């Protein structure tokens, strides 16, 4: 069975930086344990990635908090989590969902003999925006692959 784990945006700005929350901090250890339960080559991650011009973008006008500016400390993934993921398994994304990730997963499963016993699990931040966006994109690209989200390894923008 091919089981893939997608770690969504476990970056410093979402954990304890510009958009950090107590809930985000509280899942870091759970996410680390989850990653360790998978084969290293089966773990992938996304990185929310913006430029210094973020505040002038459509998203920046609606969420006027500069965050995940490429090259800043806030853009970096949590250090311990980063060390658990292969360097070439990170996907930068400028929006909520990653088309590149979805396309790569489709190609990965296309190479497999059978998708019947495959699955994708997502964890990370923020549940109600980026995690759900990536789950939906993956479902569009891989309609026959079961996709799940581990709520014990996710945190949303608010408690609700």
């Amino acid at each position: 069975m091919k089981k893939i784990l997608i770690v969504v945006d476990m970056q410093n700005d979402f954990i304890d930086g510009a958009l950090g929350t107590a809930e985000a901090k509280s899942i870091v250890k759970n996410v680390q344990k989850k990653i360790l339960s998978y084969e290293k080559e089966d773990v992938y991650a996304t990185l929310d990635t913006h430029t210094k011009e973020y505040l002038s973008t459509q998203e920046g006008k609606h969420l006027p908090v500069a965050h995940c500016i490429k090259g800043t400390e806030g853009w970096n993934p949590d250090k311990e989590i980063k060390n658990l993921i292969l360097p070439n398994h990170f996907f930068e994304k400028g929006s909520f969902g990653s088309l590149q990730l979805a396309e790569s997963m489709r190609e990965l499963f296309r190479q497999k003999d059978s998708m019947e016993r495959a699955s994708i699990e997502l964890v990370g931040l923020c549940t109600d925006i980026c995690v759900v966006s990536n789950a939906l994109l993956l479902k569009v690209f891989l309609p026959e692959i079961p996709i799940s989200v581990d709520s014990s390894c996710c945190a949303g923008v608010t408690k609700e």
Side-chain angles (χ1 to χ4, degrees):
M1 180 170 186
K2 186 68 167 174
K3 292 175 46 177
I4 298 293
L5 177 66
I6 308 292
V7 180
V8 178
D9 298 354
M10 288 298 295
Q11 294 161 269
N12 294 325
D13 268 347
F14 291 126
I15 297 169
D16 57 9
L19 294 171
T21 64
E23 292 79 19
K25 288 180 201 173
S26 74
I27 69 160
V28 173
K29 294 291 183 202
N30 288 352
V31 172
Q32 292 169 355
K33 288 178 190 172
K34 177 65 75 169
I35 292 169
L36 290 170
S37 74
Y38 279 77
E39 297 293 325
K40 193 163 189 165
E41 65 270 6
D42 294 333
V43 179
Y44 296 84
T46 64
L47 295 171
D48 196 45
T49 303
H50 301 294
T51 66
K52 293 176 183 169
E53 291 78 30
Y54 171 77
L55 293 176
S56 65
T57 67
Q58 182 179 8
E59 179 184 328
K61 291 175 185 173
H62 293 281
L63 178 62
V65 178
H67 65 281
C68 297
I69 307 300
K70 187 171 182 170
T72 66
E73 186 57 30
W75 174 76
N76 288 322
D78 171 82
K79 189 180 226 174
E80 291 182 43
I81 288 173
K82 179 181 180 181
N83 292 334
L84 297 174
I85 301 172
L86 295 170
N88 64 342
H89 281 208
F90 284 91
F91 292 85
E92 293 180 18
K93 60 184 187 58
S95 186
F96 305 133
S98 173
L99 285 173
Q100 184 184 12
L101 170 69
E103 290 167 348
S104 293
M105 291 298 107
R106 180 172 58 191
E107 185 59 32
L108 176 73
F109 284 108
R110 186 176 285 152
Q111 294 173 5
K112 290 288 168 198
D113 292 336
S114 172
M115 289 193 285
E116 293 173 11
R117 298 178 46 193
S119 67
I120 297 174
E121 184 173 25
L122 290 95
V123 299
L125 303 168
C126 295
T127 315
D128 46 336
I129 300 173
C130 294
V131 174
V132 72
S133 294
N134 282 287
L136 291 170
L137 270 174
L138 288 163
K139 196 62 175 174
V140 168
F141 277 71
L142 295 160
E144 297 302 316
I145 301 289
I147 297 174
S148 63
V149 175
D150 183 343
S151 62
S152 72
C153 294
C154 289
V157 176
T158 66
K159 288 182 184 181
E160 294 81 26

